[in-house]
Amino acid sequence: MEAGYNGHGVKTVIPRYAKAKIDCRIVPGQDAHTVYHMIRQQLDRNGFKDVEMHFNLAEEAFRSDIDSPFFKEAEWVAKTVYGDDNVRVIPNSAGSGPEAQMDAAIHAPIVSVGCGYFGAGAHAPNESLRVHDYQWGTYFMMQLMRAVGAQQ
């Protein structure tokens, strides 16, 4: 959000405009354009018809079947590599990517995994990845490919 004077020091003036960037993370069954129009309707109902809106882009929502054999295999390998207490299964994440398009094109199970840690500052100016975490992430992927290949 931005409004008024944002430079160095203080200015206590009433701003002539304000702007905000809204990022909506949709879930399967939602449509980004529908959500956009619902926000517009809510603003209008609450007296903000003068607020301009612009739709920039959208990614389709996607969720893998967490009961699929591939997902269960990935979960088992992760627990084997990292330990049971260090693996979290999260059906949806706030991240976005082309999973829906990949699913439509190849119809293969998709599992997203990360090898970062909580303090990595993901997508922040000081984002980092510890070498040790990268090495373990690489080892996990190697073990997952071995496990899946052994079932073929």
Side-chain angles (χ1 to χ4, degrees):
M1 297 183 86
E2 182 180 316
Y5 178 73
N6 289 313
H8 183 70
V10 176
K11 284 196 179 192
T12 56
V13 295
I14 297 172
R16 67 179 183 87
Y17 78 93
K19 64 181 181 177
K21 197 178 259 190
I22 299 174
D23 183 347
C24 299
R25 302 300 173 118
I26 62 173
V27 298
Q30 288 183 315
D31 172 73
H33 287 62
T34 302
V35 171
Y36 172 82
H37 291 294
M38 291 169 73
I39 292 170
R40 172 78 269 163
Q41 291 170 351
Q42 186 67 17
L43 287 168
D44 292 349
R45 274 195 299 271
N46 287 281
F48 296 102
K49 291 184 180 185
D50 58 334
V51 171
E52 292 181 32
M53 288 179 52
H54 305 280
F55 186 95
N56 291 330
L57 65 96
E59 286 283 349
E60 289 181 58
F62 178 79
R63 181 183 293 153
S64 291
D65 177 8
I66 62 174
D67 293 320
S68 75
F70 177 74
F71 189 91
K72 292 299 184 191
E73 187 72 15
E75 183 181 12
W76 177 81
V77 171
K79 287 181 177 182
T80 301
V81 170
Y82 296 109
D84 286 356
D85 294 339
N86 298 316
V87 175
R88 304 290 179 270
V89 175
I90 303 169
N92 278 57
S93 72
S96 59
E99 288 90 351
Q101 293 86 343
M102 291 293 293
D103 180 60
I106 63 173
H107 306 292
I110 299 171
V111 174
S112 297
V113 297
C115 59
Y117 70 108
F118 181 78
H123 306 306
N126 63 344
E127 179 176 10
S128 63
L129 179 64
R130 300 179 299 195
V131 172
H132 178 78
D133 295 328
Y134 179 76
Q135 291 169 331
W136 273 103
T138 303
Y139 178 71
F140 164 75
M141 290 306 296
M142 183 179 68
Q143 294 302 103
L144 179 59
M145 287 188 269
R146 282 184 175 158
V148 171
Q151 292 180 359
Q152 301 302 321

